[in-house]
């Protein structure tokens, strides 16, 4: 019976990949965190990979922890990015617009190709989850660092 159900599920899903293992739980802290690359981040940012893209999500999920003053470089995402602030207080800025404060529980949608940066405020740390959608194996185009004048 189980085999019949499984076969039916596979035929319904067509060419999509079917996981033989079922639900996957990635335990917190099991994937090594890395320091944000100094080319792409000012100050200290820790990037923790949480879940790589798969056929269903087509997005990379990660956590970024910024110390006060730390922020991304200017960048764009080819298919957009979803941020969920989990701790602290942060800033996000779209080029040509006023910087906005973000706080825990805030959900931020950054549309494709919009030039922006995000990070902590100058006096608070900030952590966010980032779901970054992939196009042709790519999910970000990094540009120049955000200057202190632009940040303040
Ligand atoms: Mn971004």
């Amino acid at each position: 019976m189980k085999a019949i159900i499984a076969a039916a599920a596979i035929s319904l899903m067509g060419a999509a990949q079917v996981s033989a293992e079922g639900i996957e739980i990635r335990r917190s802290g099991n994937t090594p965190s890395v320091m944000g690359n100094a080319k792409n981040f000012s100050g200290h940012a820790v990037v923790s990979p949480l879940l790589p893209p798969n056929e269903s999500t087509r997005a990379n999920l990660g956590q970024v922890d910024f110390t006060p003053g730390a922020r991304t470089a200017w960048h764009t995402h080819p298919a957009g990015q979803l941020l969920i602030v989990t701790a602290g207080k942060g800033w996000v800025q779209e080029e040509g617009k006023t910087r906005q404060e973000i706080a825990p529980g805030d959900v931020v949608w950054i549309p494709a190709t919009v030039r922006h940066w995000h990070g902590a405020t100058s006096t608070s740390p900030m952590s966010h989850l980032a779901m970054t959608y992939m196009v042709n194996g790519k999910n970000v185009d990094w540009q120049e660092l955000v200057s202190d004048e632009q940040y303040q």
Side-chain angles (χ1 to χ4, degrees):
M1 186 61 181
K2 266 187 184 168
I4 292 166
I5 292 169
I10 289 166
S11 68
L12 277 173
M13 295 182 77
Q17 292 232 327
V18 177
S19 168
E21 292 82 26
I23 289 172
E24 174 188 3
I25 298 179
R26 297 196 160 215
R27 298 295 174 188
S28 179
N30 277 8
T31 306
S33 300
V34 297
M35 289 298 299
N37 187 318
K39 282 185 198 158
N40 304 330
F41 292 87
S42 300
H44 293 281
V46 176
V47 179
S48 302
L50 297 179
L51 188 69
N54 63 45
E55 266 305 301
S56 295
T57 66
R58 295 190 172 89
N60 181 74
L61 178 65
Q63 177 177 326
V64 188
D65 300 298
F66 299 88
T67 55
R71 67 270 189 181
T72 68
W74 288 100
H75 62 285
T76 61
H77 302 288
Q81 181 181 51
L82 179 68
L83 303 178
I84 301 172
V85 182
T86 55
K89 197 180 286 185
W91 287 333
V92 60
Q93 186 174 22
E94 176 176 342
E95 187 173 49
K97 297 192 180 175
T98 309
R99 184 187 71 197
Q100 297 191 72
E101 192 169 294
I102 50 177
D106 289 350
V107 175
V108 181
W109 171 246
I110 296 155
T113 73
V114 167
R115 189 168 132 94
H116 69 287
W117 60 267
H118 31 107
T121 70
S122 57
T123 54
S124 306
M126 189 274 282
S127 298
H128 66 47
L129 297 172
M131 182 79 109
T132 312
Y133 296 86
M134 311 290 301
V135 175
N136 299 323
K138 194 168 161 186
N139 64 12
V140 60
D141 288 296
W142 289 111
Q143 298 157 5
E144 77 277 13
L145 293 176
V146 174
S147 70
D148 289 344
E149 292 71 26
Q150 292 171 327
Y151 176 70
Q152 291 296 340

